[in-house]
Amino acid sequence: MGIFKKKKDYFFESFQILATYAKDAITKLEEGLNNFDPNNLIVLKNSVHEIEHNADLKKHEFEERLAKEFITPIDREDIFLLLDKIDDLTDSIDEISYKLYIRNYQKIPANTSIFISKTKEAIESLLEILDQMDKISNKKVMDPLLNKVINIEEEVDQLYEVNVRDLYKENITNYMDIVMSEKIYSYFEYVTDKCRDIVKEIQIIMYKNL
């Protein structure tokens, strides 16, 4: 006789589903920046925004279900707040492609790929946490996963500090180039901040359910 795996609660699944849009968005952005072409910025903007728009529709679907649900696995307010913070993460990625377009970037700094890679790692690590939300009351399971995202966010903070300082130390005559490069680094630092915000919300939920 086979062993049947218990199906996860609808709302625990909803967290992971919604965060998958963030992973799709950062992957699409990564593709565009790894093959950067200023003539394709409008295409990149629209592609990432489509993912963000679909995430909004899915979030609305989850919220509609939440409004009708009588019993939820954790507090209704916590579900709403966590869905909102996950949606903010996808919005922050959409904002990058939007700003690249409206500010008409013609080039990106050399170390952008490092920031993309670490940001994507943070989002993938966040998905690992959300996959374990049915174990929210188990600190031994949750703490290492939560700390992994926190550590990545701190790494990106350090990357930002080092790389921005290097920009201002280099002999660059065009000050606008420095400012535009600093902005790009800050966009990705902001996305990892959003990952950290989600972790903080999950920590609150965890301690409420111990």
Side-chain angles (χ1 to χ4, degrees):
M1 184 176 178
I3 299 175
F4 293 94
K5 186 176 181 180
K6 184 180 178 182
K7 182 173 171 53
K8 288 185 182 178
D9 180 88
Y10 174 86
F11 291 107
F12 286 154
E13 283 193 329
S14 73
F15 300 142
Q16 191 173 21
I17 291 169
L18 200 60
T20 299
Y21 287 97
K23 181 181 177 181
D24 291 345
I26 196 67
T27 299
K28 181 63 69 175
L29 185 63
E30 179 183 39
E31 292 170 358
L33 294 184
N34 284 347
N35 302 283
F36 184 74
D37 181 349
N39 295 316
N40 288 336
L41 285 176
I42 182 65
V43 175
L44 179 60
K45 178 184 78 73
N46 290 341
S47 297
V48 176
H49 184 67
E50 182 179 4
I51 295 170
E52 186 274 336
H53 176 67
N54 289 335
D56 283 344
L57 295 176
K58 183 59 70 172
K59 175 175 177 275
H60 180 70
E61 176 186 319
F62 293 146
E63 289 173 341
E64 288 291 303
R65 172 75 176 263
L66 180 61
K68 299 173 183 176
E69 200 74 14
F70 182 68
I71 299 175
T72 55
I74 55 177
D75 287 350
R76 194 181 303 271
E77 180 184 4
D78 290 333
I79 293 173
F80 180 85
L81 289 174
L82 187 50
L83 288 172
D84 203 47
K85 288 189 179 296
I86 295 171
D87 186 62
D88 286 346
L89 173 60
T90 307
D91 288 346
S92 69
I93 301 166
D94 182 45
E95 188 74 5
I96 297 176
S97 61
Y98 174 72
K99 287 181 176 176
L100 287 169
Y101 171 69
I102 63 169
R103 289 175 175 158
N104 195 31
Y105 274 82
Q106 296 300 298
K107 58 183 178 179
I108 55 175
N111 288 341
T112 301
S113 60
I114 300 173
F115 283 85
I116 298 172
S117 177
K118 295 305 294 184
T119 302
K120 191 172 183 181
E121 183 183 353
I123 293 171
E124 289 173 343
S125 298
L126 184 62
L127 277 163
E128 291 176 12
I129 297 171
L130 297 172
D131 185 49
Q132 299 295 323
M133 282 298 290
D134 56 337
K135 301 180 180 66
I136 189 64
S137 61
N138 189 332
K139 280 181 95 286
K140 289 184 178 180
V141 172
M142 299 301 290
D143 276 347
L145 298 173
L146 295 165
N147 289 333
K148 183 178 178 182
V149 175
I150 292 170
N151 290 338
I152 295 170
E153 187 271 335
E154 290 174 352
E155 285 180 47
V156 174
D157 281 349
Q158 292 169 3
L159 275 173
Y160 175 80
E161 180 180 318
V162 169
N163 280 273
V164 171
R165 178 166 170 76
D166 285 347
L167 286 172
Y168 286 92
K169 284 169 61 180
E170 291 171 3
N171 185 23
I172 301 177
T173 56
N174 189 341
Y175 183 74
M176 186 55 68
D177 282 352
I178 300 176
V179 172
M180 297 286 272
S181 294
E182 179 183 354
K183 284 183 181 294
I184 286 187
Y185 293 154
S186 71
Y187 299 156
F188 289 100
E189 192 265 344
Y190 182 69
V191 175
T192 58
D193 283 349
K194 290 296 181 182
C195 292
R196 178 204 58 202
D197 291 346
I198 294 170
V199 164
K200 286 184 175 180
E201 188 64 36
I202 294 172
Q203 286 175 321
I204 292 170
I205 296 170
M206 179 178 70
Y207 278 97
K208 286 171 68 174
N209 288 274
L210 289 178

